[in-house]
Structure formats: C-alpha cells, structure tokens
Amino acid sequence: MEIGDLQKRPFIIGVAPCTGLGFVDMDLFLPMEIRFGRFITDNWYIVAELTYGISLAHETVYLEPSIRVGYNFGRKNSGKEK
C-alpha cells in the first residue's frame, strides 16, 4: 500500500501473512512479513522488511530482517489522460 501523495514520493507499508512455504527437516514454516519503505525517486524505492516464521510443529521460530531496493515498472498517471 502506498500512503501519501503519489507525486511526492509516498511511503510504502505492507503486511503479508503466509507468503510462501518453508521446509526444514520435514517441518512446515509459514512466514509473516511486515514491510516499511519509501520511494526515493519516481520509480526507485527502498523497503525494510521483517519476516517472522513459525513452524507448524511449534519447534522452531525464526526472525529475518532485510533491506530491499527496487524499481517500479508500473505506469504512472501524468494527469494528461482523459
């Protein structure tokens, strides 16, 4: 989700439950991700991400922080279209 004026580098916030699966020694993990970021330019952005994974057997828990830099290929509305 983008928060703020889309013309003035908005903030990026995201919550993603169960985004993928992981297996370790036949134990299934379901991760929960929280993302906070901001657009640096019109297309480039940086996001700090924290992933928290819990095994379904309740044997293991992991915490994975990361920083991502990305490029938005989406079409931007310039206000000239009708």
Side-chain angles (χ1 to χ4, degrees):
M1 174 172 59
E2 295 176 357
I3 296 176
D5 187 0
L6 295 180
Q7 305 298 324
K8 296 182 180 178
R9 299 179 322 180
F11 289 95
I12 301 168
I13 297 176
V15 176
C18 303
T19 57
L21 301 172
F23 289 98
V24 175
D25 295 331
M26 298 303 294
D27 190 7
L28 176 65
F29 287 90
L30 296 175
M32 170 75 162
E33 295 180 0
I34 300 173
R35 298 176 181 177
F36 299 97
R38 179 132 195 216
F39 274 87
I40 300 168
T41 64
D42 288 341
N43 295 67
W44 287 98
Y45 60 89
I46 187 166
V47 176
E49 180 179 312
L50 185 63
T51 303
Y52 179 73
I54 303 174
S55 72
L56 293 182
H58 303 290
E59 294 177 353
T60 308
V61 174
Y62 71 89
L63 191 61
E64 180 181 312
S66 63
I67 295 176
R68 298 176 189 252
V69 176
Y71 187 84
N72 182 8
F73 290 100
R75 191 172 136 220
K76 192 168 185 179
N77 186 0
S78 63
K80 297 179 182 177
E81 299 175 4
K82 294 181 181 180

